[in-house]
Amino acid sequence: LVGTESGGWTLEELDVSSSRSGVSERFVCHEKLGSKAGLGAAWLTPVPADAVVYGSGESSVVLSKAEAAALRAEGMQSYVSTKRRLLMATFALTAGGSGVAGVIAGP
């Protein structure tokens, strides 16, 4: 559990090392803590060093780097497909509008 006494800050990543055991733990939060807009405190769970955290809060998901790369590739493919459909729709609407304007204007 980590929180602020006063003020506010955004916690991205926290690394904690034990001088007694030599064990290091990595925690990822991505939350704004303190102040009026943020949380008063956040419960942090350890995240393996070779993992990536997607999202924040209770909806966050811990993925391996390979899973994160696959998810990113899938998202980029979806983005390219959506962009292509928008460009085609824009072209069709522009061409259609120009055609209608030409018919209305006459020779």
Side-chain angles (χ1 to χ4, degrees):
L1 182 66
V2 65
T4 62
E5 289 185 18
S6 63
W9 43 280
T10 300
L11 177 63
E12 292 292 329
E13 186 173 318
L14 176 69
D15 295 314
V16 179
S17 298
S18 170
S19 59
R20 186 179 309 163
S21 67
V23 174
S24 291
E25 293 283 348
R26 176 177 167 242
F27 302 88
V28 178
C29 183
H30 302 295
E31 296 285 347
K32 183 171 180 151
L33 301 174
S35 73
K36 294 180 181 175
L39 302 170
W43 182 260
L44 304 178
T45 55
V47 175
D50 61 341
V52 177
V53 177
Y54 269 53
S56 62
E58 293 179 11
S59 65
S60 64
V61 178
V62 178
L63 303 172
S64 70
K65 288 189 178 186
E67 291 171 325
L71 185 62
R72 182 182 184 283
E74 182 181 319
M76 289 304 292
Q77 178 128 10
S78 175
Y79 167 76
V80 168
S81 173
T82 300
K83 185 175 178 181
R84 187 173 291 127
R85 286 194 317 263
L86 285 172
L87 286 172
M88 288 188 318
T90 301
F91 175 75
L93 289 171
T94 303
S98 296
V100 168
V103 168
I104 291 174

